[in-house]
């Protein structure tokens, strides 16, 4: 015998408690005929009569009473489980897992994350810094942060952090005093340059644009690293010229440890985006974070 449909069992209990198809239908916001049909299906599947029906009353049979006695706690457990799921959906509690580039993890996300967590003490934020583009869902993340050129077309993107960033060129005063100041991107081919290697193994070319002219060079130098701290220390020590996110070198520029070079060739680009696959059935922590960054812009 096939198992009865849960909705038919629920309909039977509702009618038995109300002692009326019409009364149960009014409480449920459904038609009396749909409840009658559900009961017919259930009795046919079980092969026993569960309710005695007359024009004046509806009462459970002995089999019906036994079934109600066993079903009532079970249906209560199911209702409690569904309420628990709904509370997770509707309340901003749980864990939010984000995959973000290391530059964002270091210089953009910290103040945003701190304000968000202060506003949502029921949420735990797990952040993984990763400079390799991955399938965030397959890797177990709720969302990612990436720059515009790395966004998938079918993703929903929400701006987060500064809307314009810059790559800047900088060097230590001692280096420039010894080697001279480059004035054009091609001059960098004659200079020691500090370069960055991504986890994929790729060393990016340096690209410059001015007045519609784009120049891409592959410089050489004494250091290639995957660690920004090492690259910055080498530049401050006077080992070469670096081209990097402004956020990384701003404190050194402000202190004079590094000085700007070729400012008219500095390249601007769009700031990062939070991206995720769908607005449908979003986890509550992700929905709370999306809503937060939309109202937190400009701080």
């Amino acid at each position: 015998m096939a198992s009865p449909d849960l909705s038919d069992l629920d309909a039977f209990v509702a009618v038995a408690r109300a002692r009326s198809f019409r009364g149960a239908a009014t409480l449920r916001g459904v038609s009396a005929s749909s409840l009658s049909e559900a009961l017919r299906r259930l009795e046919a599947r079980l092969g026993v009569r569960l309710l005695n029906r007359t024009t004046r009353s509806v009462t459970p049979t002995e089999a019906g009473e036994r079934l109600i006695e066993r079903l009532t706690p079970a249906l209560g457990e199911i209702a409690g489980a569904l309420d628990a799921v709904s509370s997770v959906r509707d309340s901003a509690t749980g864990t939010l897992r984000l995959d973000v580039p290391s530059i964002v993890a270091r210089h953009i996300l910290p103040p945003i994350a701190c304000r968000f967590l202060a506003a949502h003490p029921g949420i735990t934020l797990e952040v993984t810094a990763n400079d390799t583009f991955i399938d965030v869902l397959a890797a177990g993340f709720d969302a990612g942060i990436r720059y515009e050129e790395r966004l998938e077309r079918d993703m929903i993107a929400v701006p987060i952090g500064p809307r314009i960033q810059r790559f800047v060129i900088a060097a230590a005063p001692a280096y420039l005093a010894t080697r001279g100041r480059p004035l054009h991107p091609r001059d960098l081919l004659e200079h020691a340059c500090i370069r960055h290697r991504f986890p994929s193994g790729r060393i990016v070319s340096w690209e410059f644009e001015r007045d519609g002219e784009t120049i891409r060079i592959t410089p050489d130098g004494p250091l290639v690293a995957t660690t920004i701290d090492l690259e910055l220390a080498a530049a401050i020590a006077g080992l070469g010229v670096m081209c990097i996110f402004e956020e990384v070198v701003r404190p050194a520029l402000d202190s004079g440890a590094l000085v700007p070079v070729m400012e008219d060739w500095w390249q601007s680009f769009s700031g990062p985006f939070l991206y995720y696959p769908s607005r449908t059935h979003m986890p509550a922590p992700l929905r709370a974070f999306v809503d937060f960054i939309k109202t937190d812009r400009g701080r």
Side-chain angles (χ1 to χ4, degrees), residues 17-123:
R17 286 174 176 170
R19 294 295 198 269
S20 164
F21 283 93
R22 191 178 300 257
T26 300
L27 291 173
R28 292 292 178 110
V30 298
S31 67
S33 61
S34 68
L35 293 179
S36 179
E37 180 60 30
L39 187 62
R40 279 196 294 270
R41 284 196 303 268
L42 182 59
E43 288 179 332
R45 185 163 292 175
L46 296 177
V48 296
R49 178 177 289 275
L50 299 173
L51 294 175
N52 290 317
R53 292 102 94 177
T54 71
T55 57
R56 295 185 303 275
S57 67
V58 175
T59 57
T61 64
E62 182 181 356
E65 289 284 7
R66 291 181 180 179
L67 184 58
I68 290 171
E69 185 179 348
R70 301 294 297 271
L71 280 179
T72 298
L75 291 174
E77 287 291 325
I78 292 171
L82 294 176
D83 286 343
V85 171
S86 295
S87 68
V88 170
R89 177 199 67 203
D90 298 332
S91 62
T93 60
T95 300
L96 174 61
R97 297 175 178 85
L98 298 179
D99 176 81
V100 308
S102 57
I103 184 67
V104 172
R106 288 173 58 106
H107 295 281
I108 294 175
L109 189 58
I112 298 172
C114 290
R115 291 194 295 269
F116 172 70
L117 291 173
H120 296 279
I123 292 178

Side-chain angles (χ1 to χ4, degrees), residues 110-226:
I112 298 172
C114 290
R115 291 194 295 269
F116 172 70
L117 291 173
H120 296 279
I123 292 178
T124 298
L125 181 62
E126 292 185 7
V127 177
T128 298
N130 177 20
D131 291 319
T132 301
F133 190 70
I134 64 171
D135 182 336
V136 291
L137 292 182
F141 295 97
D142 298 298
I145 297 177
R146 285 293 180 270
Y147 286 89
E148 192 169 14
E149 72 276 7
R150 301 300 302 272
L151 291 175
E152 296 289 346
R153 296 294 183 186
D154 59 348
M155 289 287 183
I156 298 168
V158 179
I160 183 171
R163 297 325 312 137
I164 298 295
Q165 291 182 261
R166 294 190 296 180
F167 285 126
V168 306
I169 307 117
Y175 174 86
L176 297 176
T178 302
R179 299 289 301 269
R181 180 182 291 269
L183 302 176
H184 189 276
R186 293 190 183 91
D187 294 345
L188 293 171
L189 296 174
E190 306 300 324
H191 280 263
C193 294
I194 298 165
R195 295 166 295 161
H196 183 78
R197 185 193 303 274
F198 285 99
S200 64
R202 185 171 66 100
I203 301 175
V204 297
S205 300
W206 291 7
E207 186 175 295
F208 305 91
E209 184 176 352
R210 187 182 69 177
D211 299 331
E213 179 186 12
T214 300
I215 297 175
R216 184 179 291 106
I217 65 169
T218 302
D220 199 2
L223 177 66
V224 178
T226 60

